[in-house]
């Protein structure tokens, strides 16, 4: 059932006001403190789950990078013997995954390649360390390279007193002990002195012999940054800790970083100068059933500075790490303000509902009338009729401006239509001229007779139309045929201009012309250039499959190329080249016919014969130096 906009607006306004007011009153009546607390609990659960899910995404990416690197090293696609290639691959992985801080690989002899991010004020920098040991496990060399954001080397430094042996590191030994993808506990990285965790995995060669261990560093600063971006309101905080109360991730990353630089450990809750967080942690300690009943989340309430707080501690279950997501908020953050706002909302709802109902009826008629006029204009535009309407005065500025805009749009559409028609004609002319100029460049490169590409292109259009090709496609073929010899641009001048027969080696070079032409035109978006691509690539294929470069036969050869092959051969025969003299036209016609069924498509030869008089007339027009008596009698 259809109704008018006027009736819909009136009904909608009444229904909307009724539903809104009823909802507010009912919501106000049934709401209580318990529902608000439940909402707060759910809010904190959502925040915790969001943190866990984002952390899991970071960890899964690091694990995937570890697995991919292991596969490439195992299959010898990457190798420690090619440290530059390995370093470039690590750099590319860091570029793709901004939260990964470093990737490295160490083999069993201690040779080590490590690429990591560096802090820079101007632009991203990367460092690459390369360590080698001799057969006696004595340090042989250690170099530190710096690279810019394009991995261009900026500097190199030799480290004479290198204290790092990857085989002594926990990530190396843990991967070997587990013989699988392994994660370290949070620790402070050796090189960057930043807190983080490492995903590592042993790498075996094709003979199942241990090659080494690959590792991926994930900075915990990524999780801390996520906390810093959370909007929890004033006096609210979220952080990650372990069961010992050590802070692993915190909104203020500087606290963790400073502690790591000074003591190579994580700060405890009582060291971060946040008494509210410490009070929340102490309230958690009183919950002796934490994680002992199979529950992964515990809620606490506590008082601080005469304010009541609600907190939630949720276990971080990914990879079975004993981490805890901690979130606390003041009760007034989600309770007191909501209650006060609820009362005001009910009052304002009553007043606004009454005003809205009174004013809506006044404007509905005016709105629907203006919409009707706009509908008429839009319908005319849809039908391509750019008819402007008289603009009536309207109380609503937007509606009147919309009518003005539609009229202005009609003026613009009329102007644009004319401009588009002119631009379209200009573009067609430019495209045609560009293709012609490119064909002429080939003609100058090749030892072609004057107007060769013009004659060939017009011959092609005649034959295509005779074979039933649509006019637009025949016109497209005429333009594309001008580029049939484009590949000869890449053939050396001494071969193209050689006045004698080509040697076998020179023929091999000459036969690359179709490939060169196709490469020049490949991936073209223009329909004409796509046809030109097919012609350039398959022009020298034979109907019987003895052509080159791909020995195509029959209808596997595009029709466009089959047509160009016939007329190109014909025009070449009747004009002199550096390696041959011109032959009489009648002899050339007979030779073309003799090649029907072997080199040429018989159906194209039939069309060639049918169009022969027109072809010879074109030849006469575009060869002004030709004498009339040189043409066959039927052309005179």
């Amino acid at each position: 059932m259809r109704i008018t906009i006027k009736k819909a607006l009136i009904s909608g306004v009444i229904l909307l006001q009724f539903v809104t007011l009823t909802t507010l009153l009912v919501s106000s009546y049934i709401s209580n403190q318990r529902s608000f607390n439940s909402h707060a609990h759910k809010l904190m659960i959502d925040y915790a789950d969001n943190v866990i899910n984002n952390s899991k995404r970071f960890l899964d990416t690091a694990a995937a990078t570890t697995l991919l690197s292991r596969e490439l090293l195992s299959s010898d696609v990457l190798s420690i013997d090619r440290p530059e290639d390995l370093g470039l691959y690590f750099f590319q992985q860091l570029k793709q995954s901004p939260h990964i801080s470093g990737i490295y690989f160490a083999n069993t002899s201690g040779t080590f390649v490590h690429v990591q991010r560096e802090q820079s004020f101007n632009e991203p920098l990367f460092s690459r360390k390369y360590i080698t040991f001799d057969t006696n496990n004595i340090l042989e060399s250690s170099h530190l390279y710096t690279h810019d954001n394009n991995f261009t080397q900026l500097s190199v430094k030799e480290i004479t007193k290198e204290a790092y042996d990857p085989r002594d590191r926990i990530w190396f030994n843990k991967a070997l002990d587990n013989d699988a993808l392994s994660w370290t506990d949070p620790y402070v990285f050796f090189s960057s002195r930043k807190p983080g965790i490492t995903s590592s995995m042993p790498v075996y060669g094709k003979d199942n012999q241990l090659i080494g261990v690959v590792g991926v560093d994930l900075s915990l600063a990524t999780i801390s940054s996520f906390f810093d971006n959370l909007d929890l309101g004033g006096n609210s905080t979220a952080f990650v800790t372990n069961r010992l109360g050590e802070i692993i991730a915190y909104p203020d990353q500087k606290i963790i970083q400073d502690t790591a630089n000074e003591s190579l450990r994580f700060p405890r809750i009582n060291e971060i100068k946040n008494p509210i967080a410490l009070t929340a942690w102490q309230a958690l300690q009183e919950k002796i059933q934490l994680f002992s009943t199979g529950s992964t989340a515990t809620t606490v309430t506590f008082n601080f500075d005469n304010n009541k707080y609600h907190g939630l501690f949720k276990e971080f279950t990914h990879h079975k790490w004993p981490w805890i997501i901690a979130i606390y908020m003041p009760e007034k953050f989600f309770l007191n303000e909501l209650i006060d706002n609820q009362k005001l909302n009910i009052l304002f709802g009553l007043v606004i509902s009454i005003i809205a109902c009174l004013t809506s009826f006044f404007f509905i008629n005016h709105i629907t009338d203006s919409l009707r006029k706009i509908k008429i204009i839009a319908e005319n535009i849809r039908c391509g009729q750019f008819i402007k309407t008289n603009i009536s005065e309207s109380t609503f500025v937007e509606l009147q401006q919309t009518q003005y805009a539609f009229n202005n749009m009609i003026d613009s559409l009329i102007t644009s239509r004319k401009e588009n028609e002119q631009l379209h004609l200009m573009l067609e002319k430019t495209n045609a001229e560009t293709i012609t100029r490119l064909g002429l460049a080939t003609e100058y490169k090749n030892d072609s007779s004057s107007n060769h590409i013009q004659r060939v292109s017009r011959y092609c259009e005649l034959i295509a139309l005779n074979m039933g090709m649509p006019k637009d496609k025949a016109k497209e073929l005429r333009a594309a045929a001008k580029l049939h010899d484009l590949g000869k641009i890449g053939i050396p001048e001494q071969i193209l201009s050689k006045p004698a027969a080509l040697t076998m080696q020179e023929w091999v070079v000459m036969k690359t012309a179709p490939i060169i032409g196709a490469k020049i035109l490949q991936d073209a978006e223009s329909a004409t250039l796509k046809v030109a691509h097919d012609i350039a690539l398959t022009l020298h294929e034979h109907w019987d499959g003895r052509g080159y470069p791909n020995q195509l036969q029959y209808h596997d050869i595009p029709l466009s190329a089959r047509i160009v092959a016939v007329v190109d051969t014909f025009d070449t025969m009747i004009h002199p080249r550096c390696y041959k003299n011109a032959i009489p036209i009648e002899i050339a016609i007979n030779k073309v016919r003799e090649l029907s069924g072997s080199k040429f498509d018989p159906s194209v030869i039939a069309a060639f014969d049918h169009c022969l008089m027109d072809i010879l007339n074109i030849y006469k027009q575009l060869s002004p130096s030709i004498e009339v008596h040189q043409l066959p009698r039927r052309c005179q």
Side-chain angles (χ1 to χ4, degrees):
M1 181 181 65
R2 297 183 178 180
I3 60 174
T4 63
I5 293 179
K6 181 176 182 179
K7 291 181 179 179
L9 288 174
I10 293 174
S11 301
V13 168
I14 295 174
L15 181 61
L16 179 62
Q17 300 308 316
F18 175 80
V19 172
T20 301
L21 185 58
T22 302
T23 301
L24 287 173
L25 293 175
V26 172
S27 176
S28 177
Y29 179 77
I30 64 174
S31 297
N32 51 45
Q33 183 174 345
R34 184 176 180 179
S35 64
F36 285 122
N37 290 340
S38 175
H39 171 73
H41 177 75
K42 183 179 182 301
L43 179 65
M44 291 188 292
I45 287 286
D46 289 343
Y47 277 127
D49 288 340
N50 197 9
V51 172
I52 291 174
N53 290 334
N54 276 276
S55 302
K56 181 178 182 299
R57 177 169 57 84
F58 298 152
L59 299 170
D60 288 343
T61 301
T65 302
T66 306
L67 291 169
L68 175 61
S69 302
R70 190 278 307 267
E71 291 297 327
L72 295 176
L73 288 162
S74 296
S75 59
D76 203 35
V77 175
L78 297 174
S79 173
I80 195 73
D81 297 329
R82 302 188 298 275
E84 290 80 9
D85 293 344
L86 188 58
L88 178 60
Y89 162 76
F90 287 162
F91 162 76
Q92 292 170 342
Q93 293 300 309
L94 291 177
K95 290 272 287 185
Q96 294 176 3
S97 304
H99 52 277
I100 294 178
S101 59
I103 309 178
Y104 38 85
F105 174 73
N107 65 9
T108 54
S109 63
T111 301
F112 181 64
V113 175
H114 179 200
V115 179
Q116 72 173 13
R117 302 179 191 279
E118 298 291 346
Q119 294 294 331
S120 174
F121 294 102
N122 297 323
E123 59 180 359
L125 291 178
F126 297 83
S127 67
R128 173 170 61 93
K129 177 175 280 191
Y130 181 43
I131 304 175
T132 58
F133 291 83
D134 61 18
T135 56
N136 297 320
N137 285 333
I138 298 176
L139 179 68
E140 190 172 70
S141 67
S142 177
H143 293 85
L144 182 65
Y145 305 83
T146 58
H147 298 265
D148 64 11
N149 198 38
N150 295 317
F151 207 59
T152 301
Q153 182 174 313
L154 301 178
S155 65
V156 58
K157 175 183 178 182
E158 184 177 3
I159 304 175
T160 56
K161 296 182 179 180
E162 178 60 70
Y164 188 88
D165 188 338
R167 295 167 294 182
D168 297 333
R169 304 302 296 173
I170 184 173
W171 57 269
F172 190 97
N173 293 292
K174 193 165 186 177
L176 295 182
D177 292 341
N178 296 335
D179 197 26
L181 179 68
S182 304
W183 290 90
T184 65
D185 292 327
Y187 70 105
V188 178
F189 296 146
F190 180 89
S191 299
S192 64
R193 291 297 188 266
K194 295 179 180 179
I197 55 177
T198 298
S199 167
S200 59
M201 194 170 189
V203 178
Y204 293 91
K206 297 179 180 179
D207 55 357
N208 292 325
Q209 293 296 316
L210 179 68
I211 299 175
V213 176
V214 62
V216 175
D217 286 342
L218 178 65
S219 174
L220 292 176
T222 56
I223 303 178
S224 296
S225 298
F226 183 75
F227 286 143
D228 194 31
N229 294 328
L230 285 176
D231 183 15
L232 300 178
N235 296 326
S236 302
T237 300
F239 56 92
V240 177
T241 179
N242 60 20
R243 297 189 184 186
L244 299 177
E246 295 176 334
I247 302 297
I248 296 173
Y250 192 77
D252 187 358
Q253 302 178 39
K254 188 174 183 300
I255 293 177
I256 300 179
Q257 186 66 49
D258 290 345
T259 303
N261 289 334
E262 294 174 4
S263 58
L264 296 180
R265 65 175 179 83
F266 294 91
R268 296 184 179 273
I269 289 182
N270 59 358
E271 297 176 335
I272 63 174
K273 298 180 181 180
N274 187 335
I276 306 178
L278 179 60
T279 305
W281 180 255
Q282 292 171 346
L284 174 65
Q285 303 308 305
E286 299 176 2
K287 293 278 188 174
I288 58 175
Q289 78 278 15
L290 177 64
F291 309 134
S292 62
T293 61
S295 174
T296 59
T298 299
T299 58
V300 297
T301 58
F302 59 95
N303 294 303
F304 182 84
D305 197 17
N306 297 323
N307 290 316
K308 187 176 182 179
Y309 286 81
H310 292 262
L312 179 131
F313 296 84
K314 185 174 176 64
E315 185 179 10
F316 191 102
T317 57
H318 188 56
H319 292 286
K320 299 182 180 180
W321 284 323
W323 294 2
I324 300 171
I325 306 294
I327 299 175
Y328 64 84
M329 299 178 179
E331 186 177 73
K332 64 181 181 180
F333 173 73
F334 49 83
L335 184 62
N336 292 347
E337 292 183 3
L338 288 176
I339 293 176
D340 294 337
N341 289 336
Q342 187 181 50
K343 295 177 181 179
L344 290 174
N345 287 338
I346 293 172
L347 178 60
F348 283 127
L350 289 170
V351 175
I352 292 173
S353 295
I354 295 172
I355 296 174
C357 287
L358 293 175
T359 56
S360 296
F361 297 120
F362 176 79
F363 293 111
I364 283 176
N365 283 331
H366 189 73
I367 292 174
T368 54
D369 183 63
S370 297
L371 290 175
R372 181 182 57 79
K373 292 183 178 180
I374 293 173
K375 173 183 173 296
I376 293 173
I377 299 175
E379 187 65 24
N380 289 335
I381 293 175
R382 185 186 68 82
C383 297
Q385 301 174 0
F386 301 150
I387 303 174
K388 296 192 290 184
T389 60
N390 295 327
I391 299 175
S392 58
E393 293 294 328
S394 174
T395 305
F396 298 100
V397 175
E398 291 81 0
L399 289 175
Q400 188 164 356
Q401 289 177 343
T402 301
Q403 294 181 55
Y404 277 116
F406 268 93
N407 281 344
N408 291 335
M409 181 174 64
I410 289 173
D411 291 334
S412 298
L413 288 173
I414 294 172
T415 302
S416 297
R417 173 185 285 177
K418 295 179 180 178
E419 292 177 351
N420 287 339
E421 291 174 353
Q422 295 175 355
L423 289 173
H424 181 71
L425 292 175
M426 184 179 298
L427 183 60
E428 283 188 342
K429 182 177 179 181
T430 301
N431 288 342
E433 186 172 349
T434 300
I435 292 174
T436 300
R437 296 298 178 182
L438 185 57
L440 287 173
T442 308
E443 190 173 83
Y444 283 119
K445 169 74 174 181
N446 193 14
D447 181 30
S448 300
S449 59
S450 177
N451 292 332
H452 172 69
I453 65 171
Q454 284 84 354
R455 290 192 299 272
V456 168
S457 64
R458 289 186 61 181
Y459 298 161
C460 288
E461 184 180 24
L462 277 176
I463 294 176
L465 290 173
N466 183 263
M467 297 182 71
M469 186 178 291
K471 289 184 178 180
D472 57 334
K473 294 297 182 181
K475 183 178 179 182
E476 194 174 83
L477 173 58
R478 174 175 175 173
K482 296 177 180 179
L483 302 179
H484 66 277
D485 275 337
L486 181 61
K488 290 185 178 178
I489 289 179
I491 304 302
E493 186 71 28
Q494 62 269 26
I495 294 179
L496 290 176
S497 301
K498 185 175 181 180
L502 299 181
T503 65
M504 184 65 69
Q505 291 80 6
E506 289 170 335
W507 259 116
V508 170
V509 175
M510 179 63 77
K511 287 183 177 181
T512 63
I515 305 299
I516 296 172
K519 285 184 178 180
I520 294 174
L521 296 169
Q522 70 181 3
D523 300 326
E525 296 184 3
S526 164
T528 301
L529 294 184
K530 289 180 180 178
V531 176
H533 169 272
D534 294 342
I535 293 172
L537 181 61
T538 61
L539 174 64
H540 297 285
E541 302 286 357
H542 291 183
W543 179 253
D544 59 7
R546 297 182 181 181
Y548 63 91
N550 298 313
Q551 292 76 51
L552 301 179
Q553 63 178 351
Y554 305 139
H555 292 90
D556 290 339
I557 306 171
L559 177 59
S560 57
R562 285 180 268 149
I563 295 174
V564 175
V566 171
V567 299
D568 180 49
T569 300
F570 169 72
D571 196 74
T572 301
M573 286 180 177
I574 62 178
H575 288 89
R577 293 288 177 92
C578 63
Y579 55 86
K580 73 171 189 70
N581 294 322
I583 66 175
I585 293 177
E586 290 185 343
I587 296 177
I589 292 172
N590 290 330
K591 285 183 175 291
V592 169
R593 289 171 178 163
E594 291 171 1
L595 294 174
S596 175
S598 57
K599 183 176 181 180
F600 300 135
D601 178 357
S603 64
V604 177
I605 297 299
F608 173 80
D609 279 338
H610 193 272
C611 299
L612 188 55
M613 294 305 299
D614 292 329
I615 289 175
L616 294 176
N617 284 329
I618 292 174
Y619 170 72
K620 181 179 179 181
Q621 295 170 12
L622 296 180
S623 299
S625 61
I626 200 71
E627 297 295 336
V628 175
H629 69 271
Q630 293 179 280
L631 297 176
R633 293 179 180 178
R634 49 183 160 171
C635 187
Q636 293 180 8

